Amino acid sequence: MRILIDGDGCPVIDECIKISNKFKIESIIFCDTSHYFDNKNVKVVVISKGVDAVDFAILKNLQNGDIVITQDYGLASLVLSRNSYAINQNGMVYTDENIEELLFSRYISKKMRNSGARLKGPKKRDKSQNTVFEQNLEKLILEKITKEKL
């Protein structure tokens, strides 16, 4: 089990590293050339800029049972289909039960934007979201560890 971080725009990188160190799990940050990370105990994979280039690199490196941190529903869907786990920066764990609805809502929102509608963006991030993320990532790791022992 490893933690793969979609580093482009991820606000919880430090929390991911803290938790991966706590559980002694390897963590890898994937980002494009417009980002720079200099964190200890973390591998950084830098990808040339391109549409979904980082997502494809994550998928190429994905191993069975890895946990991917991403806010991209499309990437999360592909991760789930490859017998791995995905969680977003707010602590929502993507599942087979919720991914179709999330993808459909993304599709509807894109159609609305393309037709000229203006949609509200997400609320400003606060520290409580980081706490929820940490709790849910730890819970996911513990569930996975328990499942592996059975």
Side-chain angles (χ1 to χ4, degrees), residues 2-48:
R2 301 172 306 162
I3 296 176
L4 309 182
I5 305 164
D6 184 353
D8 293 341
C10 181
V12 290
I13 289 175
D14 291 336
E15 291 79 1
C16 291
I17 294 167
K18 180 176 89 174
I19 291 169
S20 68
N21 289 338
K22 176 180 176 178
F23 287 95
K24 296 178 177 36
I25 298 171
E26 179 184 12
S27 57
I28 306 169
I29 300 171
F30 291 81
C31 62
D32 68 26
T33 56
S34 62
H35 296 85
Y36 176 77
F37 296 100
D38 186 24
N39 301 70
K40 293 180 182 176
N41 302 326
V42 122
K43 180 179 176 183
V44 177
V45 177
V46 180
I47 310 300
S48 296

Side-chain angles (χ1 to χ4, degrees), residues 134-148:
E134 287 184 49
Q135 291 168 346
N136 289 348
L137 179 57
E138 284 193 23
K139 181 179 173 186
L140 178 60
I141 291 169
L142 290 170
E143 286 172 0
K144 219 177 134 348
I145 290 170
T146 303
K147 188 188 270 187
E148 288 175 356

Side-chain angles (χ1 to χ4, degrees), residues 108-126:
I108 295 298
S109 294
K110 184 175 183 177
K111 279 189 77 122
M112 291 173 66
R113 282 191 306 276
N114 287 344
S115 69
R118 298 186 55 85
L119 304 174
K120 277 187 160 185
K123 292 180 183 175
K124 186 174 178 179
R125 187 168 185 80
D126 64 37

Side-chain angles (χ1 to χ4, degrees), residues 10 26 104 111 127 129 150:
C10 181
E26 179 184 12
F104 184 70
K111 279 189 77 122
K127 290 187 180 200
Q129 290 169 296
L150 297 176

Side-chain angles (χ1 to χ4, degrees), residues 85-130:
Y85 304 86
I87 181 172
N88 79 0
Q89 74 280 0
N90 297 327
M92 180 182 66
V93 176
Y94 299 103
T95 65
D96 292 333
E97 290 74 34
N98 68 15
I99 196 67
E100 285 187 37
E101 182 179 338
L102 292 167
L103 288 168
F104 184 70
S105 75
R106 180 180 77 167
Y107 167 76
I108 295 298
S109 294
K110 184 175 183 177
K111 279 189 77 122
M112 291 173 66
R113 282 191 306 276
N114 287 344
S115 69
R118 298 186 55 85
L119 304 174
K120 277 187 160 185
K123 292 180 183 175
K124 186 174 178 179
R125 187 168 185 80
D126 64 37
K127 290 187 180 200
S128 68
Q129 290 169 296
N130 293 355

